[in-house]
Amino acid sequence: MSASISFRNVTKVTTHVLQQMKLKKEKIPMLTAYDYSFARILDNTGIDVILVGDSASNVMAGYTSTLPITLDHMIYHASSVVRAVRRALVVVDLPFGTYQGNSKEALNSAIRIMKESGADAVKLEGGKEIIESVDRILSAGIPIMGHLGLTPQSIHKFGTYVVRATTEEEAAKLVDDAHLLEKAGCFAVVLEKIPARLGGKVSSELRIPIIGIGAGREVDGQVLVLHDMLGITLEFSPRFLRRYHNLSEEVHGAVSSYISDVKSLDFPNEKEQY
Ligand code: KIV
């Protein structure tokens, strides 16, 4: 692709490439990663987008929501991921409290992420209510992925993890917000846990890629939390989650074998010592 950025024989996925994929109706796979080792495995699979999600707050730090994670934590996770990735587009969540209500602070937060981690783009949750922050960040040349529907940073406002935008009023606001984000210049929007029909409607009305998580199959790409789809986290089982592996059980088995080998003096054997 002539407009792509090539470095050491690797064609980097850019926001432009994602736009082309939407035009060609090529679906966009995206997964989260928070550390160097997993990010390296993911990038070698050819995944197009890696999200350093603030779900790190849940799956890496053990909090019950995404609210506690800080900008410094996100920069730590993002820079670990960036060091591993050569091809995928790396998008980083701006954490709760670093962009809502103060567009100057939002820009400073986004600049810190881009400068200190080397990521390619940031993701923000919300529509009209954060549009001033969106405009300011975009005016500095920083690409933004939007996030609408079930936005986990607003979980205390929702009070429940049920499907969003099931009423006409909430669905209409979501569609308006998606158009607003596209008009502002966002390069993509994540739609989380909304009716499939609404996901399809937004995807057909917008020119930018729509990435769904529990938003049906009529969108332009899909995202899942890595630890959920690999079966590392077992306590979370929404209908939209497909588990591709039971890594928790595999790790448990491997560690149990190690424990018994150490105890029985089977490990290390003669070949495993100096
Ligand atoms: O933080 C995250 O992992 C996310 C995805 C669920 C889209 O925002």
Side-chain angles (χ1 to χ4, degrees):
M1 224 171 277
S2 58
S4 307
I5 299 171
S6 262
F7 180 64
R8 289 192 198 137
N9 296 329
V10 176
T11 303
K12 175 87 182 161
V13 178
T14 63
T15 57
H16 174 79
V17 170
L18 299 185
Q19 185 64 59
Q20 298 298 308
M21 288 174 78
K22 168 135 186 171
L23 287 173
K24 288 191 280 182
K25 300 191 188 309
E26 196 183 323
K27 297 286 184 190
I28 302 166
M30 166 165 146
L31 281 173
T32 64
Y34 319 99
D35 66 277
Y36 175 86
S37 303
F38 266 126
R40 197 161 63 154
I41 297 171
L42 259 57
D43 198 44
N44 284 334
T45 65
I47 191 118
D48 293 306
V49 187
I50 294 179
L51 172 67
V52 185
D54 58 359
S55 48
S57 181
N58 307 94
V59 298
M60 301 302 286
Y63 290 113
T64 53
S65 80
T66 58
L67 275 65
I69 201 160
T70 66
L71 189 57
D72 285 336
H73 291 144
M74 290 304 295
I75 290 169
Y76 168 77
H77 287 297
S79 47
S80 307
V81 167
V82 167
R83 279 193 288 278
V85 171
R86 283 154 39 100
R87 180 184 173 276
L89 184 88
V90 179
V91 182
V92 182
D93 267 333
L94 280 192
F96 177 68
T98 66
Y99 63 95
Q100 300 97 334
N102 182 338
S103 62
K104 276 192 190 162
E105 191 187 348
L107 176 58
N108 287 339
S109 306
I111 287 176
R112 277 202 62 201
I113 287 196
M114 299 297 283
K115 233 183 195 343
E116 296 178 38
S117 76
D120 302 309
V122 295
K123 178 163 81 58
L124 277 67
E125 295 183 7
K128 193 171 172 211
E129 52 291 330
I130 57 145
I131 205 65
E132 210 179 298
S133 296
V134 167
D135 284 336
R136 203 165 198 139
I137 293 170
L138 286 167
S139 72
I142 299 172
I144 296 182
M145 176 179 273
H147 185 159
L148 300 169
L150 198 156
T151 45
Q153 291 178 13
S154 301
I155 192 57
H156 295 303
K157 184 179 81 178
F158 299 142
T160 166
Y161 281 98
V162 297
V163 184
R164 302 310 310 175
T166 51
T167 64
E168 255 178 52
E169 193 187 352
E170 197 180 330
K173 175 169 166 30
L174 186 142
V175 173
D176 288 350
D177 279 343
H179 279 283
L180 200 63
L181 292 172
E182 174 172 85
K183 202 162 157 232
C186 290
F187 72 89
V189 175
V190 167
L191 295 182
E192 180 164 351
K193 212 169 181 185
I194 60 163
R197 215 148 37 114
L198 185 59
K201 174 179 163 64
V202 175
S203 170
S204 67
E205 288 186 13
L206 265 64
R207 281 170 286 111
I208 57 174
I210 303 301
I211 312 292
I213 171 163
R217 55 201 292 193
E218 301 302 323
V219 290
D220 309 300
Q222 299 291 334
V223 56
L224 286 175
V225 168
L226 182 70
H227 291 58
D228 296 336
M229 63 87 78
L230 288 181
I232 298 173
T233 48
L234 297 176
E235 56 284 348
F236 182 66
S237 287
R239 190 199 296 191
F240 67 73
L241 173 61
R242 185 180 294 182
R243 280 195 214 289
Y244 285 83
H245 204 56
N246 192 341
L247 202 52
S248 169
E249 209 170 279
E250 295 232 351
V251 172
H252 192 280
V255 173
S256 301
S257 300
Y258 169 73
I259 291 171
S260 97
D261 288 353
V262 169
K263 286 185 185 285
S264 66
L265 288 182
D266 181 75
F267 176 80
N269 63 25
E270 295 218 336
K271 287 189 194 147
E272 291 162 333
Q273 64 187 16
Y274 300 96

